[in-house]
Amino acid sequence: MRSLPVAAALSAALLLAGPPAAGARTPAAGTRSPRCPKGTVALRTKRKLTACVPRAQPTPSALLKAGAALSPRAPRGSTRPSARARRSAQRTLALLTARARANESPFGTTARSATRATATRATAAKIATAKTATPPPRAHKAETDPTFGEVLSRSESPDGRYAARFRQDDGIEVTVEGRQRVDADDSKHFEAETRDRSGAGITFGYGEGQPTPSCPAAGGDVPTRHDAFTVAGQATASHGKRTWFKVTTRVEGRWHGYVGVGARAERFDVDVLGVTEVRSGVEIAATGKVLRRNATRVYRTVLRRRGLPVGATGEDAYDALDFRGPKGRRIESADMRMLGLLVAETAAVVEHASDELRKGDERWFEQRSCARTTFDHAPAHVTKGGRVDWNLTALAADGAVAADARWTPTSTCGVLTASTTTGPRTRLTVVDAARAWGPLPPTPGCVAAELTSTAGRPPAFAHEVPPEELRRLKVNVAVRFHKNMGTGIVETSMRGSGEVLLGDPSSVGVHVDGSGTYNGTEWDGTPENSCGMDMLRTRDFAGRAAVGAQRNDDGTISVAFSAPERPYEMSWIVVVPATGGSETIRAAQPFCGQPGLAQTLAEVTVTTQEVPVG
């Protein structure tokens, strides 16, 4: 038994079926026990109470007929609701239902805007009163709603409640009251009546509880509050009196779905209470004064069932249903039919829950729109023959860690091991056993994983860790040289610099030439100014230096600097770490025929910097 949209079915009943019979005679005392009519199934409780449950989905038309059968017969010649009233009811029901499902104001305005408009009108009235004590009379212009007609009264409150009364051009009056959803736990509903000039009319209503959560919780829970509300009734008019009845059915409670580790809904629990009230009476059509109020007939159902599989139908829950009819009354055929309708509406919660969970599977399994995966990895770059570790965690839509998960990891670029394939957390390790990772050619470390969890099925996980970027080493060398020959002789001073660009780390043992320059001052020794003559006369010198470097297999670099014109006193080779370093070199050289007279000091400083290739 599949649940149909209540509003659509009720609209069809109001427009096409016409008003049901005004009433039915009750069987005389002493007749044999009533039986269920064709098209229904007799469902009996332990107290031997029978309900005639329809085989097909019950319609609001059946609800109207069952309510009419339980109400006193209207006087002969009573006026039934007109075709205009029925058409107005159909239009009003469709509009209010659409706005209720969208959680919009039934009148196209929000409670806040209505309150603001009221305050604005009050302020304007105060200003007008202050300007003149006797304002001129002004013609009253009736407020008109473009949908419902002339507004007789209307109110909306911040808590979502609203009420209004309208008069349409054809004389039909429409009364509406209900409540919008303000908080997430609120239900939304409305009840309306269309009444023609004679007082005959149709009553209808619709309501629903909170929507099904769009995503399961971390533990796979899908808790939902169910609140289905339906009103159907009619009134006839005769000689200024209205004879009316109204059937109100409400099935409320909770159903709770459970998503398994396979990311699909597996089962659900149902705990709902159904109540149908049949009220009737007679009143003055013009004033609403009550002339007679008949006893209210109340029917109740209870459905509590655990562990229903997704896909279960209403019939699967019949064994867990309990119901009872009005107290202190002999159960009649009409009571059995009304109980059957309520039983069917209560059992329909099972199919409703199954349908909602199947729709949920589309979101959290097929569309992967709920759960997600968070991760970190080390190291940041891979090297030849290295390894990478990924730490993965399955999270629910709210960010909480999933209660359980199943992992299916793969890797196409290394040997994969997993710490575990069950649980919300796992560590995946990939080792470059083939020594294929590296910058030449660019080959990353990679891993992929499919997973399902109690929080849903997240998007497929895939990640690559890039190799270290191919970089060259820029070597800068700076030289400071001093040669001191003692008092009375000009000191030799020289500064030089150079630059070499080495290849990638694989270029070990390859010498690379660079470029450099040097300049300084020294004693101006010439044939005309030889040793012992003017030893304080100076001259400048400069030139291009020969600079070179290479990577060593122990991780160091060798750097050479030489002034080609002075190879014996200004040439050095130093070995420093790849990160750079400095070295001080002291020596003694002959000068003017005296061995060791010149004391030399050379400071060679090397700095390095990695730069991208190209």
Side-chain angles (χ1 to χ4, degrees):
M1 182 165 38
R2 187 168 293 277
S3 177
L4 298 175
V6 175
L10 185 55
S11 298
L14 294 173
L15 185 61
L16 303 177
R25 296 184 182 277
T26 57
T31 58
R32 64 180 182 177
S33 178
R35 296 180 179 179
C36 288
K38 292 182 179 181
T40 62
V41 177
L43 192 63
R44 187 181 296 270
T45 66
K46 295 179 180 180
R47 297 189 298 273
K48 298 182 179 181
L49 179 63
T50 302
C52 300
V53 183
R55 295 181 184 274
Q57 173 66 30
T59 63
S61 178
L63 195 66
L64 283 171
K65 292 180 180 179
L70 291 168
S71 303
R73 179 181 291 275
R76 291 183 179 276
S78 297
T79 302
R80 295 179 177 180
S82 63
R84 289 182 176 179
R86 295 201 303 274
R87 285 194 296 268
S88 176
Q90 192 265 348
R91 291 193 304 268
T92 303
L93 174 64
L95 177 64
L96 292 178
T97 302
R99 290 183 176 176
R101 287 177 173 171
N103 200 36
E104 297 176 352
S105 170
F107 316 124
T109 60
T110 61
R112 184 176 297 178
S113 63
T115 304
R116 189 185 298 115
T118 302
T120 302
R121 287 194 295 269
T123 303
K126 290 180 179 179
I127 294 174
T129 303
K131 287 183 177 180
T132 174
T134 57
R138 201 186 307 178
H140 175 70
K141 184 179 180 180
E143 183 182 357
T144 302
D145 187 281
T147 303
F148 297 100
E150 180 185 352
V151 180
L152 302 180
S153 64
R154 181 165 65 185
S155 65
E156 294 181 76
S157 60
D159 64 354
R161 300 182 187 275
Y162 57 85
R165 192 162 64 93
F166 306 93
R167 180 185 292 116
Q168 299 176 352
D169 293 339
D170 53 7
I172 303 298
E173 286 194 6
V174 180
T175 304
V176 182
E177 62 179 21
R179 182 176 184 178
Q180 297 174 252
R181 178 180 290 126
V182 177
D183 297 326
D185 293 334
D186 289 345
S187 60
K188 53 186 178 183
H189 63 273
F190 69 85
E191 182 176 334
E193 180 190 26
T194 59
R195 183 187 299 195
D196 55 27
R197 289 188 176 91
S198 68
I202 295 175
T203 304
F204 51 90
Y206 166 80
E208 62 181 32
Q210 67 184 43
T212 304
S214 58
C215 292
D221 299 284
V222 187
T224 304
R225 177 185 172 189
H226 184 86
D227 190 357
F229 174 75
T230 307
V231 177
Q234 85 165 14
T236 60
S238 176
H239 304 292
K241 298 179 182 179
R242 296 179 76 243
T243 302
W244 60 273
F245 75 89
K246 182 172 70 173
V247 182
T248 303
T249 298
R250 190 163 197 166
V251 181
E252 61 180 335
R254 295 185 180 274
W255 61 265
H256 194 116
Y258 299 94
V259 177
V261 73
R264 291 185 181 273
E266 296 178 346
R267 68 187 192 283
F268 61 95
D269 303 334
V270 176
D271 187 352
V272 293
L273 171 67
V275 179
T276 293
E277 295 182 350
V278 182
R279 301 176 183 273
S280 60
V282 181
E283 63 187 20
I284 300 297
T287 63
K289 179 181 178 181
V290 176
L291 300 179
R292 184 173 73 250
R293 182 65 55 87
N294 301 314
T296 302
R297 301 176 77 87
V298 182
Y299 308 82
R300 291 183 172 86
T301 56
V302 177
L303 173 58
R304 292 187 177 92
R305 183 69 184 269
R306 301 286 183 267
L308 283 165
V310 175
T313 62
E315 288 83 352
D316 297 328
Y318 280 168
D319 59 341
L321 262 165
D322 192 16
F323 50 87
R324 68 184 185 186
K327 293 183 178 180
R329 295 179 181 275
R330 181 177 180 273
I331 295 298
E332 303 166 357
S333 297
D335 293 307
M336 293 165 57
R337 290 195 295 273
M338 184 62 75
L339 263 176
L341 294 174
L342 180 58
V343 167
E345 288 291 334
T346 305
V349 178
V350 174
E351 277 196 57
H352 172 73
S354 289
D355 290 342
E356 289 295 305
L357 290 175
R358 277 193 288 258
K359 293 176 184 176
D361 282 345
E362 287 289 326
R363 295 190 299 273
W364 54 68
F365 185 87
E366 300 295 344
Q367 300 174 9
R368 304 173 183 253
S369 58
C370 289
R372 57 189 178 90
T373 306
T374 183
F375 71 98
D376 61 69
H377 66 89
H381 298 88
V382 297
T383 57
K384 189 181 296 294
R387 61 175 280 176
V388 186
D389 295 316
W390 286 268
N391 297 306
L392 289 84
T393 305
L395 301 180
D398 60 359
V401 178
D404 200 1
R406 296 292 180 269
W407 305 83
T408 307
T410 58
S411 179
T412 59
C413 56
V415 179
L416 170 69
T417 57
S419 62
T420 181
T421 57
T422 62
R425 294 182 174 90
T426 187
R427 169 174 286 188
L428 305 180
T429 301
V430 178
V431 178
D432 180 25
R435 299 185 63 81
W437 298 348
L440 292 174
T443 306
C446 63
V447 75
E450 278 283 355
L451 67 146
T452 59
S453 71
T454 53
R457 182 186 180 205
F461 174 78
H463 188 255
E464 293 183 347
V465 178
E468 290 185 345
E469 186 180 6
L470 192 61
R471 302 177 73 86
R472 304 178 72 176
L473 190 66
K474 183 178 180 181
V475 180
N476 293 287
V477 56
V479 178
R480 296 178 63 186
F481 174 75
H482 299 277
K483 183 169 71 172
N484 190 340
M485 283 74 70
T487 306
I489 303 175
V490 174
E491 183 182 74
T492 300
S493 178
M494 185 271 290
R495 289 179 179 270
S497 63
E499 180 181 298
V500 183
L501 193 59
L502 296 178
D504 63 85
S506 64
S507 60
V508 175
V510 178
H511 178 81
V512 180
D513 290 326
S515 61
T517 59
Y518 66 91
N519 62 81
T521 58
E522 63 179 353
W523 171 62
D524 184 16
T526 63
E528 293 79 16
N529 187 30
S530 59
C531 292
M533 300 178 70
D534 188 358
M535 304 301 291
L536 296 178
R537 188 165 59 176
T538 64
R539 67 182 176 188
D540 297 329
F541 63 91
R544 293 186 177 276
V547 182
Q550 74 175 34
R551 292 181 184 268
N552 303 320
D553 55 6
D554 61 354
T556 62
I557 56 174
S558 299
V559 181
F561 185 95
S562 175
E565 298 175 355
R566 304 161 185 265
Y568 297 106
E569 67 174 357
M570 295 185 184
S571 295
W572 304 275
I573 297 177
V574 296
V575 179
V576 296
T579 56
S582 63
E583 188 171 338
T584 300
I585 304 170
R586 299 177 184 273
Q589 297 177 354
F591 182 78
C592 290
Q594 299 183 33
L597 178 63
Q599 301 294 317
T600 63
L601 173 66
E603 295 178 349
V604 182
T605 302
V606 178
T607 59
T608 61
Q609 178 185 4
E610 289 187 342
V611 294
V613 173

